[in-house]
Amino acid sequence: MSKVIFDGKGFKAEKLCAKQFRGETVSSKHLQYKDIDCYVNTLRGVKYSASVKDQTYSTKKGYDTIQIELEQTNTRNNKTILGCFLKNESDYYFWLVWYEGKTQWIIIKSDVLKDYVNTHKETLKTWTTSHYTEAKNRQYNRTYDRSSGVMIKISDIAKLGEVKELKV
């Protein structure tokens, strides 16, 4: 099982996504609990909700996977809840990664990714957050400070969606 380290870049990625794809970030807790971080607009003006993830730190270090959060745990009382992936109600996922020698977005429809994870869940590698991440989450007053889930190779997820270079 791999450890994931909190790098704090998620908020920046949300702003980059909204800017590059003609959208806006969301501040509503109601939407964020549904894992909707921003809205994006197509060139034709169609508006979609997006869940944005930044994994440039790990992928620039040579890791070739993205992490899917399936469960959250409160380490103080061992209560668990569904992870953001299972609570997600966004239309699309936007993953910011270092791929093919540059910073790029992997963009995939949420329902396509959910089908993939459900089909391959038993064969995907698992991960859990590090103690450092859990301490950071407690500093942010997060009730659920540990996360765990599965990993998917970037090359596999790129085949399911599309790849666009970061242009902002």
Side-chain angles (χ1 to χ4, degrees):
M1 184 172 298
S2 296
K3 294 284 185 181
V4 175
I5 298 173
F6 177 83
D7 62 16
K9 293 184 178 180
F11 304 117
K12 181 178 178 188
E14 292 168 12
K15 291 177 184 172
L16 290 171
C17 182
K19 184 174 181 182
Q20 182 168 347
F21 298 100
R22 301 159 301 284
E24 59 188 326
T25 57
V26 216
S27 58
S28 161
K29 289 289 183 201
H30 174 72
L31 291 173
Q32 290 175 347
Y33 285 128
K34 295 178 180 184
D35 200 26
I36 296 172
D37 300 311
C38 70
Y39 286 100
V40 296
N41 291 292
T42 66
L43 291 173
R44 294 186 202 126
V46 179
K47 187 177 189 177
Y48 291 104
S49 59
S51 176
V52 181
K53 311 295 180 198
D54 183 328
Q55 293 197 233
T56 53
Y57 179 82
S58 60
T59 54
K60 279 185 178 178
K61 288 185 169 261
Y63 293 95
D64 64 350
T65 60
I66 56 123
Q67 286 79 36
I68 303 288
E69 182 188 72
L70 299 177
E71 184 177 80
Q72 294 180 310
T73 303
N74 178 331
T75 60
R76 294 167 298 285
N77 63 17
N78 288 322
K79 282 183 78 175
T80 61
I81 60 171
L82 298 176
C84 65
F85 182 75
L86 297 174
K87 294 186 284 187
N88 176 281
E89 294 183 27
S90 71
D91 297 313
Y92 283 87
Y93 273 98
F94 283 69
W95 253 280
L96 192 58
V97 296
W98 181 258
Y99 181 60
E100 298 177 333
K102 54 191 165 196
T103 304
Q104 301 195 74
W105 294 104
I106 305 291
I107 305 166
I108 185 168
K109 288 184 176 179
S110 295
D111 59 347
V112 170
L113 185 57
K114 288 176 184 180
D115 287 344
Y116 181 88
V117 170
N118 287 333
T119 301
H120 298 90
K121 187 176 172 188
E122 299 305 317
T123 59
L124 296 170
K125 286 185 173 184
T126 60
W127 63 271
T128 188
T129 49
S130 69
H131 295 293
Y132 171 79
T133 301
E134 293 165 13
K136 274 280 197 203
N137 286 337
R138 285 189 292 274
Q139 284 179 348
Y140 288 137
N141 293 319
R142 293 182 177 150
T143 303
Y144 295 90
D145 52 327
R146 176 180 294 154
S147 295
S148 59
V150 295
M151 295 183 278
I152 302 175
K153 287 185 136 316
I154 294 171
S155 56
D156 290 342
I157 198 171
K159 292 174 194 169
L160 299 172
E162 64 180 299
V163 179
K164 291 198 177 202
E165 188 172 353
L166 176 66
K167 300 251 185 204
V168 180

